[in-house]
Amino acid sequence: MHRFAAALAARADATSALVSQENGMPIGLSTAFNGAAPAGLLQMYAELIKVLPLEEVRPSQPGSTIVRREPVGVVGAIAPWNYPQVLAMMKIAPALAAGCMIVLKPSPETALDSYVMGDAAQEAGLLPGVLNIVLGGREAGASLVSHPNVDKIAFTGSTASGRIIGAECGRLIRRVTLELGGKSAAIFLDDGDVDTFIAGLGMASFMNNSQTCTTQSRILVARSRYDEVVDAVAQYTRDQVIGNPLDPSVTIGPMASEQHLQRVLGYIGIARNSNARLVSGGGRPAGQDRGRPARTAAGSSSPPCSPTSTTPTGSPARKWSGRSRR
């Protein structure tokens, strides 16, 4: 595992740039999550093996109980496109530490960087069959989930897909771990400090172009502070630098796919046709007709009304943030 980590670390710069080209992640963030984090996770779990007992005796009412840690078997790991390297390794590293075999199915949108992981595994000397990478879409994922030789599924992705996977694993009495998308809301109270709020907005709502499962894509604001907060958020979005994700000065890169761009623009259209008010952005930036750029959007409504207020736009929701007041 340490050799695997070293092989990934040696490729960190190239891998970070590759992922940014795949999904539009700003290069600074990609360097941390796709370059450094996977190797760090491998090292952490490799060290954990040294201190975690494989067997221990615990006291129980009848006398004592032996707790034995054994490999589950074959782990099917399904990773998304927003943080492909680190979210894949969050499944691979603990499985390797436990002595399991892994079948990784990356997202089709970020399939190229999985080859980097495969090359690093080979260089590190992982035995054939320990880490297997299968490329494909939903059909490949469904086959992996229901395959009779798979003992556990680890999935990160949309809530809709997670429901299907959870139901199938329940039918098969198969272990499953689900990390799903959400539609998180931030709450700004009467005594909130706008400067502090804006200072944290990048991490809370716009990290990785808002393509993060923890994105706070709604902000519920106390009526007495409503206009002030809407103006501050609108100005924050106008100040963002949209462009090539490999440029360190860029804060918002392109959308991960044309399909996702059209999906989010569709949500913005739905909101504009309701009683929401678009106060910033919401379309392609001027002079950027090629590729998948979108102007960072902020809107407001009172009361919350748009489908974007309650429906997860997937893992993740990208540019539209429905700003609502209570």
Side-chain angles (χ1 to χ4, degrees), residues 119-137:
D119 287 341
Q122 283 190 316
E123 181 181 305
L126 264 68
L127 296 176
V130 172
L131 175 59
N132 310 273
I133 300 173
V134 176
L135 303 182

Side-chain angles (χ1 to χ4, degrees), residues 1-70:
M1 291 180 69
H2 282 299
R3 291 197 302 270
F4 191 7
L8 285 174
R11 296 163 168 79
D13 290 343
T15 305
S16 302
L18 176 59
V19 174
S20 291
Q21 290 172 304
E22 289 180 301
N23 69 1
M25 180 182 292
I27 188 62
L29 193 67
S30 189
T31 298
F33 282 96
N34 299 300
L41 284 168
L42 277 168
Q43 292 166 344
M44 182 185 76
Y45 280 101
E47 292 301 314
L48 187 61
I49 297 171
K50 299 176 183 178
V51 298
L52 189 67
L54 297 180
E55 185 175 293
E56 58 183 305
V57 178
R58 297 179 182 176
S60 61
Q61 192 170 8
S64 60
T65 299
I66 296 176
V67 177
R68 183 177 295 116
R69 295 178 174 87
E70 297 178 343

Side-chain angles (χ1 to χ4, degrees), residues 4 43 47 50 60 66 70 72 114-115 135 139 158 172 185 197 199 202 214 252 259 291 293 296 300 303 306 322 325:
F4 191 7
Q43 292 166 344
E47 292 301 314
K50 299 176 183 178
S60 61
I66 296 176
E70 297 178 343
V72 167
S114 65
Y115 283 93
L135 303 182
E139 296 81 5
S158 72
L172 296 169
F197 166 71
T214 58
I252 300 290
Q259 180 183 11
T296 310
S300 64
S306 126
R325 63 175 171 179

Side-chain angles (χ1 to χ4, degrees), residues 43-312:
Q43 292 166 344
M44 182 185 76
Y45 280 101
E47 292 301 314
L48 187 61
I49 297 171
K50 299 176 183 178
V51 298
L52 189 67
L54 297 180
E55 185 175 293
E56 58 183 305
V57 178
R58 297 179 182 176
S60 61
Q61 192 170 8
S64 60
T65 299
I66 296 176
V67 177
R68 183 177 295 116
R69 295 178 174 87
E70 297 178 343
V72 167
V74 177
V75 175
I78 303 176
W81 48 262
N82 57 342
Y83 292 83
Q85 285 279 307
V86 67
L87 289 177
M89 191 54 70
M90 289 176 70
K91 300 163 179 54
I92 293 169
L96 286 176
C100 297
M101 309 293 106
I102 302 106
V103 180
L104 170 67
K105 194 204 82 66
S107 171
E109 286 82 1
T110 50
L112 284 177
D113 63 271
S114 65
Y115 283 93
V116 177
M117 191 169 289
D119 287 341
Q122 283 190 316
E123 181 181 305
L126 264 68
L127 296 176
V130 172
L131 175 59
N132 310 273
I133 300 173
V134 176
L135 303 182
R138 293 183 178 180
E139 296 81 5
S143 297
L144 183 61
V145 169
S146 60
H147 198 284
N149 293 333
V150 172
D151 301 286
K152 174 184 169 62
I153 292 294
F155 170 79
T156 300
S158 72
T159 302
S161 296
R163 285 195 181 101
I164 297 171
I165 292 171
E168 178 66 6
C169 289
R171 185 184 71 83
L172 296 169
I173 316 298
R174 177 168 296 170
R175 295 174 176 87
V176 61
T177 303
L178 303 174
E179 181 196 1
L180 308 179
K183 194 66 177 175
S184 306
I187 300 175
F188 191 96
L189 301 178
D190 287 319
D191 59 351
D193 181 77
V194 172
D195 291 338
T196 302
F197 166 71
I198 292 296
L201 193 60
M203 181 69 69
S205 296
F206 293 95
M207 185 170 69
N208 191 22
N209 315 323
S210 297
Q211 298 179 146
T212 303
C213 60
T214 58
T215 293
Q216 294 180 342
S217 52
R218 295 177 293 149
I219 302 172
L220 306 181
V221 183
R223 187 176 298 276
S224 63
R225 306 294 300 279
Y226 175 71
D227 292 334
E228 180 185 7
V229 171
V230 168
D231 290 345
V233 172
Q235 187 58 53
Y236 178 89
T237 63
R238 297 186 193 105
D239 292 340
Q240 298 311 296
V241 180
I242 301 171
N244 186 343
L246 299 179
D247 183 345
S249 67
V250 167
T251 57
I252 300 290
M255 311 201 71
S257 67
E258 180 66 26
Q259 180 183 11
H260 195 58
L261 170 63
Q262 294 305 320
R263 182 185 188 193
V264 175
L265 290 177
Y267 273 117
I268 294 174
I270 292 171
R272 295 180 75 170
N273 290 330
S274 67
N275 70 351
R277 177 172 59 99
L278 186 66
V279 296
S280 175
R284 287 181 179 270
Q288 296 193 34
D289 296 327
R290 296 181 59 193
R292 306 180 303 272
R295 293 171 62 200
T296 310
S300 64
S301 67
S302 175
C305 62
S306 126
T308 55
S309 294
T310 56
T311 304

